[in-house]
């Protein structure tokens, strides 16, 4: 076997603390190395051309590149090998940037470690075998989980691209948080005017199937061939028959149900349509408050429904869907403001959240667009906005910035002045973060044109005094304590992961961070992809985002799916586990430990054996470590290959110690 070794300078990233020429010289003495050199940028076009030329001139059978992480450039070099006429899996990469040059400044020690990493890569390559990918057919349908603005954008882009889309939304209407907003920053244009047409397009598009008030029950299969079970929850109304006339809401005697769409500002009827702009515009019964369910008698809605759509005996329905890709766009939830006991949230009626205030501002909200104190319905003249409630606070486990709170507070302060010209708004803030286009100008407009007073400091306490509230905090610019008398206090609550996100992540077999947000494959190069092929991310399920960013990521995820489906067949990664039938004793331990469900039990000549579903296997290697017989091996990372690396390292250590 003839091996070529290429040691990258990576400018001064590597060469600044590693003697790359010396590493290349040491590589020439290694077994079966026919060619070794150092190069300035191995991943550049000249660097790749040099690899191709060396393969042809020296008749190389395999290549080792010592440079940065395989996560960034392994695929690049594998394609380079294919252009040179070699099998792409006859390649190894030694990470001498992240593992060597970036973690130490001792040139001699770094050079020695880099040489060791090259040595173990060479030893593994000596035992590598060519692998060939298999092709399989794909189902060109896609599922979008979440009907917020990101999910809507992704669904419409793919539907316009000719794909069949299944959109699953757990609420009774699509639109997400944006549907609850009155205006959007920094243009202060009507939220429903922007989003409404897109919501209607979703309901009317021939390529989109909408499952509202539904949740994903389970996901199985693999990229190109996912089997998803969707649970359509009982609405107790036949949505195919319901016309959305609203007569049932007018006549319903139970008027104490939770108004979830209006964020608990007031109550609603037990049977209701979430909002006038709801899509689908269908009624739903809340059995917790419906007298027919709680007392066994009423039936008013069934009697007066002109289309006979009421079905009290309706049950949940599980529907199976086969899709080739999945986009998670589950959005975010707002922080539970009652955790700040010192702010009186949940105890003081006139201490409300930003989203509740937004519903007050909206003409379709419970107050018809009039700002009123919940306690006495009076018009407030002094409004205090408290920033960073549930953001940038390690004490409650939310050290991150939610990103959009500064902007929506500035917007609400501006709108308050428009609604109540003689009002005065105060904003307690830590820092103003307004990095988007026209964002900083917008916040300054609130200060300079609308007279919003910004006080830099955290609020320590809010308490009632008569019919007013005293907001006590610090002004760090003046270096003093301040107290502001308020008629109404609005808490700018931050974003947190959507309820049930970790459970959904496990169903999709994707990673999530310590806060419950889904993790992307690479924070810069693959922001909408995940570690599971065929599953993509869009919007705030990955982290807090404003509307433009969510829309952009929705379109990006749609583009990834359209790219994936541009081929008639997909290739499976041959780096999967394989079972040696002769050694397998059918104990089933590998089946129990596989996180992807990629191993199944089969009957082989009357004996139980394990068999790997190659298209499902993700090559994690857990089964290999679990098997007591060593009967299951991960291709390209077999026990013999890994032991060869360890032996090479140990042998070198012995030689160094002996010297």
């Amino acid at each position: 076997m003839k091996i070529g070794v290429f040691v990258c300078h990576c400018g001064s990233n590597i060469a600044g603390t590693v003697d790359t020429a010396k590493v290349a010289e040491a590589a020439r003495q290694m077994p079966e190395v026919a060619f070794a050199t150092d190069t300035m940028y191995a991943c550049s076009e000249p660097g790749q051309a040099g690899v191709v030329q060396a393969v042809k001139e020296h008749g190389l059978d395999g290549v080792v590149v010592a440079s940065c992480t395989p996560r960034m450039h392994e695929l690049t070099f594998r394609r380079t090998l294919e252009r040179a006429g070699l099998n792409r899996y006859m390649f190894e990469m030694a990470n001498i940037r992240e593992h060597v040059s970036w973690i130490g400044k001792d040139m001699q020690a770094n050079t020695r470690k880099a040489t060791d990493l090259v040595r173990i890569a060479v030893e593994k390559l000596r035992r590598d075998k060519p692998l060939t990918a298999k092709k399989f057919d794909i189902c060109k349908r896609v599922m979008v989980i979440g009907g917020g603005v990101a999910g809507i954008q992704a669904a419409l882009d793919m539907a316009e691209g000719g794909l069949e889309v299944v959109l699953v939304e757990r609420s009774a209407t699509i639109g997400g948080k944006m549907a609850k907003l009155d205006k959007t920053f920094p243009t202060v244009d009507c939220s429903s005017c922007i989003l409404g047409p897109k919501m209607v397009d979703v309901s009317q598009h021939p390529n989109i199937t909408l499952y509202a008030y539904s949740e994903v029950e389970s996901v199985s299969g693999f990229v190109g061939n996912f089997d998803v079970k969707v649970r359509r929850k009982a609405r107790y109304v036949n949505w195919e028959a319901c016309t959305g006339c609203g007569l049932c809401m007018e006549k319903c005697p139970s008027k104490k149900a939770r108004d979830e769409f209006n964020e608990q500002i007031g109550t609603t009827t037990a049977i209701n349509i979430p909002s006038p702009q709801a899509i689908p515009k269908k009624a739903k019964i809340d059995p917790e408050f419906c007298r027919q369910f709680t007392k066994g008698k009423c039936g008013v809605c069934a009697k007066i429904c002109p289309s006979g759509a009421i079905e009290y005996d309706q049950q949940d329905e599980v529907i199976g869907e086969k899709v080739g890709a999945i986009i998670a766009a589950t959005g975010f939830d707002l922080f539970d403001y009652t955790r700040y006991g010192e702010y009186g949230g949940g105890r003081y009626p006139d201490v409300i959240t930003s989203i509740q205030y937004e519903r007050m501002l909206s003409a379709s909200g419970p107050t018809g667009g009039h700002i009123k104190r919940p306690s006495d319905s009076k018009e407030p003249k002094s409004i205090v906005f408290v920033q960073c409630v549930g953001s940038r606070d390690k004490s409650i486990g939310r050290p991150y910035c939610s990103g959009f709170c500064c902007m929506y507070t500035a917007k609400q302060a501006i709108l308050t002045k428009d609604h109540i010209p003689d009002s005065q708004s105060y904003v307690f803030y830590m820092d103003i973060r307004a990095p988007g286009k026209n964002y900083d100008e917008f916040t300054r407009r609130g200060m300079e044109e609308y007279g919003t007073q910004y006080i830099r400091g955290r609020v320590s306490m809010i308490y009632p005094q008569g019919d007013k509230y005293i907001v006590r905090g610090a002004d760090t610019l003046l270096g003093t304590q301040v107290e502001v008398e308020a008629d109404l206090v609005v808490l700018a609550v931050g974003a947190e992961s959507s309820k049930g996100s970790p459970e959904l992540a496990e169903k999709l077999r994707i990673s999530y961070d310590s806060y419950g947000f889904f993790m992307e494959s690479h924070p810069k190069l693959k922001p909408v992809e995940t570690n599971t092929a065929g599953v993509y991310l869009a919007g705030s399920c990955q982290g807090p985002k404003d509307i433009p960013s969510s829309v952009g990521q929705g379109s990006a995820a749609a583009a990834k799916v359209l790219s994936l489906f541009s081929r008639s067949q997909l290739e499976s990664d041959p780096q999967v586990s394989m079972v040696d039938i002769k050694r397998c004793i059918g104990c089933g331990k590998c089946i129990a430990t596989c996180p992807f469900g990629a191993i199944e039990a089969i009957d082989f000549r009357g004996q139980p054996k394990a068999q790997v579903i190659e298209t499902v296997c993700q090559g994690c290697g857990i089964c290999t470590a679990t098997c007591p017989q060593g009967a299951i091996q991960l291709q390209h990372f077999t026990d013999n290959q890994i032991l060869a690396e360890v032996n090479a390292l140990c042998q070198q250590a012995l030689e160094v110690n002996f010297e």
Side-chain angles (χ1 to χ4, degrees), residues 75 79 88 133-141 163 223-225 324-325 529 533-534 536 559-573:
L75 182 58
R79 288 171 177 165
R88 63 163 59 192
K134 294 182 180 179
K135 293 186 176 182
F136 58 91
D137 295 328
I138 57 176
C139 172
K140 294 190 177 181
R141 299 177 77 235
L163 298 181
V223 57
N225 295 275
E529 297 170 70
Y536 304 92
K560 286 292 182 182
V561 173
L562 288 165
S563 173
L564 180 73
F565 288 174
S566 65
R567 293 160 285 179
S568 58
Q569 290 186 313
L570 295 179
E571 286 187 351
S572 62
D573 190 340

Side-chain angles (χ1 to χ4, degrees), residues 353-373:
T353 68
S354 48
I355 192 69
Q356 290 174 328
Y357 193 63
E358 196 75 37
R359 293 310 300 152
M360 278 191 189
L361 293 167
S362 176
S364 65
T367 59
H370 299 289
I371 302 173
K372 298 179 180 180
R373 284 166 40 115

